[in-house]
Amino acid sequence: MNATVVAAPRRRLRFRALLAAGCATALAALAACGSQSGGGAGGGDASVDISTVKAPILSGLSGAERTRVATLIAQAKSEKSFTWVDSVVAPTTASAMITEFQKEYGLTFKPTFERLTSGDLSTRIQQEVTAQNFKTDFFGVASPRLFSTLKQAGALLKYSSPESSHYTYASKYVSEQPGYWIAPVAYSFGVIVNPALYPTPITSWKQLSDPALKGKWDVANVSANEGSLYWYYGLKQVLPKSTFESWAANGPTTSSGSSAQEAQKVAEKQVDATVTSGFRASQIVSQTKVPLKVYYPSEGTVLNGQTYAIPSGAPDQAIAKLFDDFLLSKAGEQIYVDKEGIASFYQGVTAPAADLAYQPSIASMTILPVNTDKISTSQLDDARNSWKSIFSR
């Protein structure tokens, strides 16, 4: 799940080169997609007949907003499918959300959902953009640099959901560009531990150099994954280089890159501990009944915003816009956090009490401020090279 830095430096440059090679043709086509889609939240299209549109969601709306939503519903009824790709949401969660969405908006369509690793998801979106062969309608991944690159290429639909207003304060922690992308939820790196193997509470990141963990723990793949690279960038601000050197001397194995797989490895006693997204432990504990612990050391950690957007060439844009509204709404967010145990930026939406043991509310955590929109490529490259020099990987 940890996002790849637009695959890897060479692949990122290749992607940008492909966009440049497509030049006016590719970008003009992308711009045309955006202009045809109807930009922001906007009003209704007078050419669309909404007199017969019925849906439960409309009962709570009035005026221009009711007209806007009714118009999109009328347009969505001619779209027979919807493809959603995500690096966090489990298929069971997606199914529950789509079912409720269809019910509320009175829609019938064939949904396609895929959960991919962040690296695979980023590659897929890039390939669709460069080939001008869009299949994805809606996607979510924690990769600020991917969204920035796509925006520069004109490859993101400009759409301002009215629900975006609930996430304005999230920009303090994660990348947000209302009208293009919103991160309604966020996860953070902690240390997932099997207390049967390592019973000592982890209160400081320095404890990962404990000889009792030597060769028995996994560390995130910082040199290849964007989410973990930001985590390291943030930790470097509060921990000396000697701490990371002591980690390297303690023989950690590089993680698989999948937080679900990492939590599973701890439950199966393949490793005593792993540094990964803490919220995953709630799902693995539920499935395996192994009592895992998640620790967020006192020095703090970094939030990774799970970010959502619509490609400018999405084939089913009316459904995608309405689903964006739904996912960002209180009802959509509540399903999300109830099923995933992840933290939401929507005020008043909290995960079940049992899940808070694995990822506490954002307000209760010590968050290291990392403004991903302000960090330059050279700064990230320096951090990556620093990690490689210490860990030789």
Side-chain angles (χ1 to χ4, degrees):
M1 185 187 62
N2 303 331
T4 303
V5 185
V6 190
R10 184 174 296 176
R11 184 177 293 174
R12 180 173 69 245
L13 291 174
R14 180 174 178 273
F15 174 52
R16 289 176 176 169
L18 285 171
L19 288 176
C23 211
T25 301
L27 293 179
L30 289 169
C33 289
S35 64
Q36 292 168 3
S37 66
D45 185 339
S47 66
V48 178
D49 180 12
I50 62 172
S51 61
T52 60
V53 174
K54 295 181 180 180
I57 190 70
L58 296 176
S59 64
L61 303 176
S62 61
E65 178 59 6
R66 189 183 191 284
T67 299
R68 183 190 75 86
V69 173
T71 300
L72 282 174
I73 291 174
Q75 294 170 335
K77 287 184 179 296
S78 66
E79 299 173 346
K80 304 304 181 184
S81 62
F82 174 65
T83 299
W84 172 15
V85 186
D86 207 294
S87 64
V88 161
V89 172
T92 52
T93 302
S95 179
M97 294 181 73
I98 290 172
T99 296
E100 185 62 22
F101 168 63
Q102 289 178 310
K103 175 184 173 182
E104 282 297 301
Y105 287 81
L107 296 173
T108 301
F109 54 81
K110 179 183 177 181
T112 298
F113 174 81
E114 292 182 72
R115 181 167 75 176
L116 303 174
T117 65
S118 293
D120 287 344
L121 189 153
S122 297
T123 298
R124 170 171 167 163
I125 297 298
Q126 292 169 16
Q127 289 173 340
E128 290 186 12
V129 171
T130 54
Q132 288 292 282
N133 182 21
F134 292 92
K135 298 179 180 178
T136 301
D137 293 308
F138 191 76
F139 70 100
V141 64
S143 179
R145 300 185 72 75
L146 172 66
F147 287 94
S148 178
T149 300
L150 291 173
K151 182 187 176 185
Q152 291 174 21
L156 294 179
L157 180 71
K158 186 175 183 180
Y159 174 65
S160 298
S161 169
E163 298 290 346
S164 299
S165 61
H166 297 290
Y167 302 94
T168 53
Y169 92 101
S171 60
K172 176 180 178 181
Y173 303 101
V174 297
S175 177
E176 301 274 64
Q177 291 209 17
Y180 290 98
W181 65 82
I182 291 288
V185 298
Y187 59 88
S188 50
F189 282 82
V191 187
I192 301 180
V193 173
N194 189 325
L197 301 176
Y198 189 78
T200 306
I202 295 180
T203 59
S204 169
W205 288 109
K206 297 177 181 179
Q207 286 177 248
L208 292 176
S209 59
D210 184 349
L213 284 173
K214 188 173 181 64
K216 300 177 181 178
W217 65 289
D218 282 357
V219 70
N221 192 4
V222 167
S223 63
N225 298 110
E226 185 173 332
S228 51
L229 179 59
Y230 284 119
W231 164 73
Y232 175 58
Y233 183 94
L235 284 190
K236 282 173 81 286
Q237 315 308 311
V238 297
L239 295 174
K241 183 179 180 181
S242 59
T243 295
F244 303 108
E245 292 173 336
S246 67
W247 287 6
N250 214 28
T253 303
T254 299
S255 74
S256 65
S258 164
S259 57
Q261 291 177 5
E262 283 301 302
Q264 187 74 34
K265 286 172 67 175
V266 178
E268 293 177 352
K269 299 184 179 181
Q270 296 180 42
V271 292
D272 294 5
T274 186
V275 176
T276 192
S277 308
F279 81 94
R280 284 297 188 203
S282 64
Q283 299 165 355
I284 301 303
V285 169
S286 176
Q287 294 167 8
T288 66
K289 309 305 177 186
V290 177
L292 304 179
K293 294 279 190 180
V294 180
Y295 297 104
Y296 295 94
S298 60
E299 296 93 345
T301 190
V302 174
L303 280 180
N304 290 311
Q306 182 67 4
T307 309
Y308 289 90
I310 304 169
S312 59
D316 307 289
Q317 293 186 6
I319 295 177
K321 290 178 180 181
L322 291 172
F323 188 74
D324 192 36
D325 291 349
F326 173 75
L327 183 140
L328 298 179
S329 72
K330 187 173 183 179
E333 283 297 285
Q334 195 64 65
I335 297 174
Y336 198 144
V337 301
D338 283 349
K339 297 287 187 180
E340 297 292 329
I342 200 168
S344 174
F345 286 112
Y346 197 114
Q347 295 294 303
V349 173
T350 57
D355 292 333
L356 295 177
Y358 307 108
Q359 180 170 317
S361 66
I362 293 170
S364 67
M365 300 180 70
T366 301
I367 304 300
L368 298 174
V370 174
N371 190 330
T372 55
D373 290 329
K374 299 294 185 181
I375 300 174
S376 67
T377 298
S378 62
Q379 288 174 308
L380 282 181
D381 287 343
D382 287 345
R384 185 185 301 105
N385 291 333
S386 167
W387 180 270
K388 287 181 177 180
S389 71
I390 296 172
F391 289 85
S392 300
R393 64 184 78 160

